[in-house]
Amino acid sequence: MIERICEKEEYIFSVSVETFTIEQPGIIGRKNEDAILIERDKNNRLIAALVDGATALSDITSVEKNILNGYWASQTAIEGVRKNITSISAKRFLIKANDEVALSSSEIGINVSQLSGDKLATSSGAAVCVVDFEKQRVNMAQLGDVMTIAVDTQGNARQVFKIKKCVEDMDAYNLAKKISKNKGITLKEAFNDIRVAEIMKMGRIKENSDDGRGYGALNGKVEVNKYIMDTEIPLSK
């Protein structure tokens, strides 16, 4: 999806959002869990948002199945952005997206404050970019395991925020590879080993932990505020 906005004849600003698969990789029949939005508000600001749904642990491990999954979480979160399209900042958009996940969960009897992260429908990463043409500023916010990249007019790219990688996910993957090799089974089969599942659960439990030392995610927990990174840069012509 590409939107091009020409404010002046000599000035073109473009936003490109891409998804590579219609189905979730490795899970036949499940829709891709990413959600995107590109809209303009009444003040002609351009709002671009991307939400990465987290594949349910039960789909790749022996963990008990949750009521809701990553697809539901990402679609719900992006709806939270759409409903609050007049929000003043990119960070506020992410907070509202998280609020929408909490509210929608409560409507079906799920109190997110009483459950650990591994029991919740989750978007493991999200990013919002707000382009204000009048003020000539770009406000960006990021949460979790997504990457925000800024490209200047000369084609130079830079990573805007540092990503805190989930150590538990990396440990689980390395253990699954070892099990796969030792037992002569596929990597997917190795992920059903209870030892791998427990490691991955620990990573999910740390999502939006109240000590601020875990990992950011859109799962409805109010502690999300501690994990959102945001910045503002000038819009160069």
Side-chain angles (χ1 to χ4, degrees), residues 31-70:
K31 295 179 180 179
N32 187 297
E33 294 178 336
D34 298 339
I36 61 175
L37 175 146
I38 299 179
E39 289 189 14
R40 276 181 281 180
D41 66 8
K42 62 182 181 181
N43 296 315
N44 202 35
R45 297 184 309 167
L46 175 67
I47 291 90
L50 168 67
V51 180
D52 178 15
T55 303
L57 292 181
S58 56
D59 288 329
I60 53 175
T61 72
S62 55
V63 172
E64 180 182 356
K65 189 172 184 64
N66 294 340
I67 298 175
L68 304 172
N69 58 28

mmCIF file of all heavy atoms in Angstrom, residues 31-70:
data_model
loop_
_atom_site.group_PDB
_atom_site.id
_atom_site.type_symbol
_atom_site.label_atom_id
_atom_site.label_comp_id
_atom_site.label_asym_id
_atom_site.label_seq_id
_atom_site.Cartn_x
_atom_site.Cartn_y
_atom_site.Cartn_z
ATOM 1 N N LYS A 31 -4.703 -16.235 8.739
ATOM 2 C CA LYS A 31 -4.366 -14.974 8.100
ATOM 3 C C LYS A 31 -3.103 -14.370 8.702
ATOM 4 O O LYS A 31 -2.810 -14.569 9.881
ATOM 5 C CB LYS A 31 -5.522 -13.986 8.245
ATOM 6 C CG LYS A 31 -6.794 -14.387 7.522
ATOM 7 C CD LYS A 31 -7.881 -13.346 7.746
ATOM 8 C CE LYS A 31 -9.161 -13.727 7.027
ATOM 9 N NZ LYS A 31 -10.238 -12.727 7.256
ATOM 10 N N ASN A 32 -2.391 -13.620 7.879
ATOM 11 C CA ASN A 32 -1.246 -12.873 8.375
ATOM 12 C C ASN A 32 -1.720 -11.974 9.514
ATOM 13 O O ASN A 32 -2.752 -11.313 9.413
ATOM 14 C CB ASN A 32 -0.654 -12.018 7.248
ATOM 15 C CG ASN A 32 0.641 -11.348 7.651
ATOM 16 O OD1 ASN A 32 0.672 -10.539 8.559
ATOM 17 N ND2 ASN A 32 1.705 -11.673 6.952
ATOM 18 N N GLU A 33 -0.972 -11.953 10.596
ATOM 19 C CA GLU A 33 -1.424 -11.257 11.804
ATOM 20 C C GLU A 33 -0.997 -9.798 11.869
ATOM 21 O O GLU A 33 -1.223 -9.135 12.882
ATOM 22 C CB GLU A 33 -0.936 -12.022 13.039
ATOM 23 C CG GLU A 33 -1.576 -13.388 13.147
ATOM 24 C CD GLU A 33 -1.098 -14.196 14.330
ATOM 25 O OE1 GLU A 33 0.016 -13.955 14.819
ATOM 26 O OE2 GLU A 33 -1.840 -15.086 14.773
ATOM 27 N N ASP A 34 -0.388 -9.276 10.812
ATOM 28 C CA ASP A 34 -0.041 -7.856 10.792
ATOM 29 C C ASP A 34 -1.272 -7.019 10.441
ATOM 30 O O ASP A 34 -2.166 -7.472 9.741
ATOM 31 C CB ASP A 34 1.052 -7.576 9.754
ATOM 32 C CG ASP A 34 2.341 -8.310 10.068
ATOM 33 O OD1 ASP A 34 2.524 -8.683 11.238
ATOM 34 O OD2 ASP A 34 3.150 -8.504 9.154
ATOM 35 N N ALA A 35 -1.310 -5.785 10.929
ATOM 36 C CA ALA A 35 -2.385 -4.851 10.595
ATOM 37 C C ALA A 35 -1.766 -3.497 10.294
ATOM 38 O O ALA A 35 -0.810 -3.087 10.954
ATOM 39 C CB ALA A 35 -3.380 -4.736 11.747
ATOM 40 N N ILE A 36 -2.286 -2.815 9.277
ATOM 41 C CA ILE A 36 -1.739 -1.522 8.887
ATOM 42 C C ILE A 36 -2.841 -0.486 8.719
ATOM 43 O O ILE A 36 -4.004 -0.837 8.504
ATOM 44 C CB ILE A 36 -0.932 -1.607 7.573
ATOM 45 C CG1 ILE A 36 -1.833 -2.082 6.428
ATOM 46 C CG2 ILE A 36 0.275 -2.500 7.732
ATOM 47 C CD1 ILE A 36 -1.164 -2.077 5.068
ATOM 48 N N LEU A 37 -2.450 0.775 8.826
ATOM 49 C CA LEU A 37 -3.368 1.883 8.619
ATOM 50 C C LEU A 37 -2.602 3.067 8.064
ATOM 51 O O LEU A 37 -1.528 3.399 8.570
ATOM 52 C CB LEU A 37 -4.055 2.266 9.934
ATOM 53 C CG LEU A 37 -4.985 3.496 9.926
ATOM 54 C CD1 LEU A 37 -6.143 3.293 10.897
ATOM 55 C CD2 LEU A 37 -4.209 4.768 10.311
ATOM 56 N N ILE A 38 -3.130 3.685 7.027
ATOM 57 C CA ILE A 38 -2.585 4.939 6.498
ATOM 58 C C ILE A 38 -3.770 5.862 6.233
ATOM 59 O O ILE A 38 -4.584 5.577 5.364
ATOM 60 C CB ILE A 38 -1.779 4.740 5.202
ATOM 61 C CG1 ILE A 38 -0.593 3.814 5.446
ATOM 62 C CG2 ILE A 38 -1.282 6.083 4.679
ATOM 63 C CD1 ILE A 38 0.244 3.540 4.208
ATOM 64 N N GLU A 39 -3.870 6.927 7.012
ATOM 65 C CA GLU A 39 -4.984 7.853 6.871
ATOM 66 C C GLU A 39 -4.523 9.286 7.111
ATOM 67 O O GLU A 39 -3.461 9.524 7.692
ATOM 68 C CB GLU A 39 -6.099 7.512 7.867
ATOM 69 C CG GLU A 39 -6.860 6.246 7.541
ATOM 70 C CD GLU A 39 -8.085 6.072 8.426
ATOM 71 O OE1 GLU A 39 -8.486 7.045 9.103
ATOM 72 O OE2 GLU A 39 -8.631 4.959 8.445
ATOM 73 N N ARG A 40 -5.365 10.218 6.673
ATOM 74 C CA ARG A 40 -5.130 11.622 6.984
ATOM 75 C C ARG A 40 -6.258 12.134 7.879
ATOM 76 O O ARG A 40 -7.417 11.767 7.688
ATOM 77 C CB ARG A 40 -5.062 12.449 5.701
ATOM 78 C CG ARG A 40 -3.689 12.425 5.069
ATOM 79 C CD ARG A 40 -3.660 13.275 3.818
ATOM 80 N NE ARG A 40 -4.249 12.560 2.691
ATOM 81 C CZ ARG A 40 -4.355 13.077 1.472
ATOM 82 N NH1 ARG A 40 -3.934 14.306 1.232
ATOM 83 N NH2 ARG A 40 -4.882 12.376 0.495
ATOM 84 N N ASP A 41 -5.903 12.967 8.870
ATOM 85 C CA ASP A 41 -6.935 13.503 9.750
ATOM 86 C C ASP A 41 -7.447 14.833 9.211
ATOM 87 O O ASP A 41 -7.065 15.276 8.120
ATOM 88 C CB ASP A 41 -6.404 13.634 11.184
ATOM 89 C CG ASP A 41 -5.293 14.677 11.319
ATOM 90 O OD1 ASP A 41 -5.028 15.417 10.350
ATOM 91 O OD2 ASP A 41 -4.693 14.748 12.400
ATOM 92 N N LYS A 42 -8.327 15.497 9.969
ATOM 93 C CA LYS A 42 -8.956 16.729 9.499
ATOM 94 C C LYS A 42 -7.958 17.877 9.357
ATOM 95 O O LYS A 42 -8.242 18.873 8.681
ATOM 96 C CB LYS A 42 -10.068 17.139 10.459
ATOM 97 C CG LYS A 42 -9.609 17.444 11.883
ATOM 98 C CD LYS A 42 -10.790 17.791 12.764
ATOM 99 C CE LYS A 42 -10.340 18.115 14.180
ATOM 100 N NZ LYS A 42 -11.492 18.443 15.065
ATOM 101 N N ASN A 43 -6.789 17.744 9.993
ATOM 102 C CA ASN A 43 -5.752 18.767 9.874
ATOM 103 C C ASN A 43 -4.726 18.424 8.798
ATOM 104 O O ASN A 43 -3.660 19.029 8.722
ATOM 105 C CB ASN A 43 -5.048 18.952 11.224
ATOM 106 C CG ASN A 43 -5.984 19.486 12.291
ATOM 107 O OD1 ASN A 43 -6.747 20.412 12.048
ATOM 108 N ND2 ASN A 43 -5.931 18.887 13.477
ATOM 109 N N ASN A 44 -5.060 17.405 7.972
ATOM 110 C CA ASN A 44 -4.206 16.961 6.872
ATOM 111 C C ASN A 44 -2.891 16.337 7.337
ATOM 112 O O ASN A 44 -1.925 16.267 6.591
ATOM 113 C CB ASN A 44 -3.919 18.105 5.890
ATOM 114 C CG ASN A 44 -3.520 17.571 4.515
ATOM 115 O OD1 ASN A 44 -4.022 16.540 4.072
ATOM 116 N ND2 ASN A 44 -2.604 18.254 3.860
ATOM 117 N N ARG A 45 -2.844 15.918 8.604
ATOM 118 C CA ARG A 45 -1.685 15.144 9.047
ATOM 119 C C ARG A 45 -1.803 13.733 8.462
ATOM 120 O O ARG A 45 -2.891 13.188 8.321
ATOM 121 C CB ARG A 45 -1.627 15.048 10.570
ATOM 122 C CG ARG A 45 -1.465 16.343 11.317
ATOM 123 C CD ARG A 45 -1.315 16.057 12.811
ATOM 124 N NE ARG A 45 -2.381 15.190 13.290
ATOM 125 C CZ ARG A 45 -2.371 14.572 14.475
ATOM 126 N NH1 ARG A 45 -1.340 14.720 15.298
ATOM 127 N NH2 ARG A 45 -3.384 13.801 14.848
ATOM 128 N N LEU A 46 -0.660 13.150 8.132
ATOM 129 C CA LEU A 46 -0.633 11.774 7.652
ATOM 130 C C LEU A 46 -0.289 10.862 8.824
ATOM 131 O O LEU A 46 0.728 11.057 9.494
ATOM 132 C CB LEU A 46 0.410 11.615 6.550
ATOM 133 C CG LEU A 46 0.618 10.187 6.034
ATOM 134 C CD1 LEU A 46 -0.624 9.693 5.316
ATOM 135 C CD2 LEU A 46 1.819 10.134 5.107
ATOM 136 N N ILE A 47 -1.138 9.882 9.078
ATOM 137 C CA ILE A 47 -0.901 8.921 10.163
ATOM 138 C C ILE A 47 -0.697 7.552 9.545
ATOM 139 O O ILE A 47 -1.555 7.042 8.806
ATOM 140 C CB ILE A 47 -2.084 8.876 11.154
ATOM 141 C CG1 ILE A 47 -2.182 10.186 11.950
ATOM 142 C CG2 ILE A 47 -1.898 7.719 12.140
ATOM 143 C CD1 ILE A 47 -3.030 11.226 11.330
ATOM 144 N N ALA A 48 0.455 6.965 9.803
ATOM 145 C CA ALA A 48 0.754 5.610 9.329
ATOM 146 C C ALA A 48 1.039 4.734 10.542
ATOM 147 O O ALA A 48 1.835 5.105 11.412
ATOM 148 C CB ALA A 48 1.962 5.630 8.396
ATOM 149 N N ALA A 49 0.375 3.609 10.621
ATOM 150 C CA ALA A 49 0.546 2.718 11.773
ATOM 151 C C ALA A 49 0.710 1.275 11.316
ATOM 152 O O ALA A 49 0.086 0.835 10.349
ATOM 153 C CB ALA A 49 -0.653 2.830 12.711
ATOM 154 N N LEU A 50 1.553 0.561 12.017
ATOM 155 C CA LEU A 50 1.785 -0.858 11.760
ATOM 156 C C LEU A 50 1.750 -1.602 13.089
ATOM 157 O O LEU A 50 2.378 -1.187 14.053
ATOM 158 C CB LEU A 50 3.146 -1.081 11.098
ATOM 159 C CG LEU A 50 3.643 -2.529 11.019
ATOM 160 C CD1 LEU A 50 2.763 -3.337 10.080
ATOM 161 C CD2 LEU A 50 5.092 -2.582 10.571
ATOM 162 N N VAL A 51 0.988 -2.692 13.125
ATOM 163 C CA VAL A 51 0.891 -3.514 14.335
ATOM 164 C C VAL A 51 1.191 -4.961 13.966
ATOM 165 O O VAL A 51 0.618 -5.496 13.013
ATOM 166 C CB VAL A 51 -0.508 -3.414 14.978
ATOM 167 C CG1 VAL A 51 -0.575 -4.272 16.234
ATOM 168 C CG2 VAL A 51 -0.840 -1.962 15.313
ATOM 169 N N ASP A 52 2.083 -5.575 14.710
ATOM 170 C CA ASP A 52 2.521 -6.949 14.452
ATOM 171 C C ASP A 52 1.895 -7.883 15.474
ATOM 172 O O ASP A 52 2.273 -7.880 16.642
ATOM 173 C CB ASP A 52 4.051 -7.020 14.525
ATOM 174 C CG ASP A 52 4.576 -8.430 14.307
ATOM 175 O OD1 ASP A 52 3.817 -9.280 13.832
ATOM 176 O OD2 ASP A 52 5.759 -8.674 14.617
ATOM 177 N N GLY A 53 0.922 -8.668 15.041
ATOM 178 C CA GLY A 53 0.297 -9.621 15.949
ATOM 179 C C GLY A 53 1.264 -10.733 16.317
ATOM 180 O O GLY A 53 2.029 -11.202 15.486
ATOM 181 N N ALA A 54 1.226 -11.155 17.574
ATOM 182 C CA ALA A 54 2.109 -12.228 18.038
ATOM 183 C C ALA A 54 1.415 -13.568 17.867
ATOM 184 O O ALA A 54 0.330 -13.780 18.413
ATOM 185 C CB ALA A 54 2.483 -12.013 19.504
ATOM 186 N N THR A 55 2.016 -14.451 17.117
ATOM 187 C CA THR A 55 1.454 -15.781 16.914
ATOM 188 C C THR A 55 1.207 -16.460 18.258
ATOM 189 O O THR A 55 2.062 -16.449 19.133
ATOM 190 C CB THR A 55 2.406 -16.653 16.082
ATOM 191 O OG1 THR A 55 2.671 -16.006 14.855
ATOM 192 C CG2 THR A 55 1.795 -18.017 15.820
ATOM 193 N N ALA A 56 0.028 -17.014 18.424
ATOM 194 C CA ALA A 56 -0.305 -17.673 19.679
ATOM 195 C C ALA A 56 0.713 -18.765 19.985
ATOM 196 O O ALA A 56 1.066 -19.560 19.119
ATOM 197 C CB ALA A 56 -1.713 -18.267 19.601
ATOM 198 N N LEU A 57 1.179 -18.806 21.221
ATOM 199 C CA LEU A 57 2.157 -19.827 21.604
ATOM 200 C C LEU A 57 1.615 -21.229 21.366
ATOM 201 O O LEU A 57 2.368 -22.143 21.036
ATOM 202 C CB LEU A 57 2.529 -19.670 23.089
ATOM 203 C CG LEU A 57 3.314 -18.418 23.480
ATOM 204 C CD1 LEU A 57 3.606 -18.447 24.978
ATOM 205 C CD2 LEU A 57 4.619 -18.336 22.695
ATOM 206 N N SER A 58 0.300 -21.390 21.501
ATOM 207 C CA SER A 58 -0.288 -22.720 21.336
ATOM 208 C C SER A 58 -0.164 -23.233 19.910
ATOM 209 O O SER A 58 -0.286 -24.425 19.656
ATOM 210 C CB SER A 58 -1.773 -22.687 21.732
ATOM 211 O OG SER A 58 -2.463 -21.714 20.978
ATOM 212 N N ASP A 59 0.089 -22.336 18.956
ATOM 213 C CA ASP A 59 0.231 -22.763 17.562
ATOM 214 C C ASP A 59 1.592 -23.385 17.277
ATOM 215 O O ASP A 59 1.776 -24.094 16.290
ATOM 216 C CB ASP A 59 0.027 -21.577 16.618
ATOM 217 C CG ASP A 59 -1.429 -21.145 16.560
ATOM 218 O OD1 ASP A 59 -2.305 -22.023 16.714
ATOM 219 O OD2 ASP A 59 -1.678 -19.955 16.365
ATOM 220 N N ILE A 60 2.588 -23.064 18.116
ATOM 221 C CA ILE A 60 3.935 -23.566 17.842
ATOM 222 C C ILE A 60 4.556 -24.312 19.013
ATOM 223 O O ILE A 60 5.652 -24.834 18.904
ATOM 224 C CB ILE A 60 4.877 -22.406 17.446
ATOM 225 C CG1 ILE A 60 4.851 -21.294 18.495
ATOM 226 C CG2 ILE A 60 4.507 -21.855 16.086
ATOM 227 C CD1 ILE A 60 5.844 -20.183 18.225
ATOM 228 N N THR A 61 3.835 -24.379 20.128
ATOM 229 C CA THR A 61 4.350 -25.096 21.290
ATOM 230 C C THR A 61 3.222 -25.896 21.928
ATOM 231 O O THR A 61 2.090 -25.907 21.453
ATOM 232 C CB THR A 61 4.927 -24.124 22.355
ATOM 233 O OG1 THR A 61 3.833 -23.436 22.989
ATOM 234 C CG2 THR A 61 5.874 -23.117 21.734
ATOM 235 N N SER A 62 3.533 -26.518 23.040
ATOM 236 C CA SER A 62 2.533 -27.295 23.759
ATOM 237 C C SER A 62 1.774 -26.453 24.777
ATOM 238 O O SER A 62 1.037 -26.975 25.607
ATOM 239 C CB SER A 62 3.220 -28.466 24.489
ATOM 240 O OG SER A 62 4.259 -27.974 25.324
ATOM 241 N N VAL A 63 1.909 -25.141 24.710
ATOM 242 C CA VAL A 63 1.248 -24.248 25.646
ATOM 243 C C VAL A 63 -0.267 -24.299 25.440
ATOM 244 O O VAL A 63 -0.758 -24.411 24.324
ATOM 245 C CB VAL A 63 1.757 -22.794 25.462
ATOM 246 C CG1 VAL A 63 0.934 -21.813 26.287
ATOM 247 C CG2 VAL A 63 3.212 -22.706 25.875
ATOM 248 N N GLU A 64 -1.015 -24.176 26.544
ATOM 249 C CA GLU A 64 -2.479 -24.173 26.488
ATOM 250 C C GLU A 64 -2.982 -23.053 25.583
ATOM 251 O O GLU A 64 -2.491 -21.939 25.607
ATOM 252 C CB GLU A 64 -3.041 -23.986 27.897
ATOM 253 C CG GLU A 64 -4.555 -23.978 27.972
ATOM 254 C CD GLU A 64 -5.068 -23.734 29.380
ATOM 255 O OE1 GLU A 64 -4.227 -23.657 30.302
ATOM 256 O OE2 GLU A 64 -6.284 -23.609 29.547
ATOM 257 N N LYS A 65 -3.993 -23.334 24.783
ATOM 258 C CA LYS A 65 -4.507 -22.377 23.809
ATOM 259 C C LYS A 65 -5.257 -21.237 24.482
ATOM 260 O O LYS A 65 -6.047 -21.447 25.387
ATOM 261 C CB LYS A 65 -5.431 -23.088 22.814
ATOM 262 C CG LYS A 65 -5.837 -22.216 21.622
ATOM 263 C CD LYS A 65 -6.579 -23.027 20.600
ATOM 264 C CE LYS A 65 -6.910 -22.200 19.365
ATOM 265 N NZ LYS A 65 -5.689 -21.757 18.661
ATOM 266 N N ASN A 66 -4.991 -19.997 24.042
ATOM 267 C CA ASN A 66 -5.701 -18.832 24.543
ATOM 268 C C ASN A 66 -7.031 -18.662 23.808
ATOM 269 O O ASN A 66 -7.235 -19.200 22.718
ATOM 270 C CB ASN A 66 -4.865 -17.562 24.340
ATOM 271 C CG ASN A 66 -3.606 -17.570 25.184
ATOM 272 O OD1 ASN A 66 -3.521 -18.291 26.166
ATOM 273 N ND2 ASN A 66 -2.644 -16.775 24.793
ATOM 274 N N ILE A 67 -7.940 -17.876 24.402
ATOM 275 C CA ILE A 67 -9.232 -17.615 23.766
ATOM 276 C C ILE A 67 -9.036 -16.783 22.503
ATOM 277 O O ILE A 67 -9.663 -17.011 21.474
ATOM 278 C CB ILE A 67 -10.166 -16.870 24.743
ATOM 279 C CG1 ILE A 67 -10.447 -17.730 25.968
ATOM 280 C CG2 ILE A 67 -11.473 -16.478 24.049
ATOM 281 C CD1 ILE A 67 -11.267 -17.022 27.036
ATOM 282 N N LEU A 68 -8.147 -15.790 22.581
ATOM 283 C CA LEU A 68 -7.901 -14.869 21.476
ATOM 284 C C LEU A 68 -6.477 -15.024 20.970
ATOM 285 O O LEU A 68 -5.607 -15.522 21.684
ATOM 286 C CB LEU A 68 -8.154 -13.429 21.933
ATOM 287 C CG LEU A 68 -9.546 -13.163 22.518
ATOM 288 C CD1 LEU A 68 -9.620 -11.773 23.121
ATOM 289 C CD2 LEU A 68 -10.617 -13.340 21.450
ATOM 290 N N ASN A 69 -6.228 -14.567 19.746
ATOM 291 C CA ASN A 69 -4.897 -14.737 19.171
ATOM 292 C C ASN A 69 -4.302 -13.414 18.702
ATOM 293 O O ASN A 69 -4.886 -12.339 18.876
ATOM 294 C CB ASN A 69 -4.948 -15.741 18.024
ATOM 295 C CG ASN A 69 -5.926 -15.309 16.925
ATOM 296 O OD1 ASN A 69 -6.177 -14.120 16.721
ATOM 297 N ND2 ASN A 69 -6.468 -16.283 16.220
ATOM 298 N N GLY A 70 -3.137 -13.497 18.063
ATOM 299 C CA GLY A 70 -2.433 -12.311 17.613
ATOM 300 C C GLY A 70 -3.171 -11.555 16.527
ATOM 301 O O GLY A 70 -3.074 -10.328 16.446
#
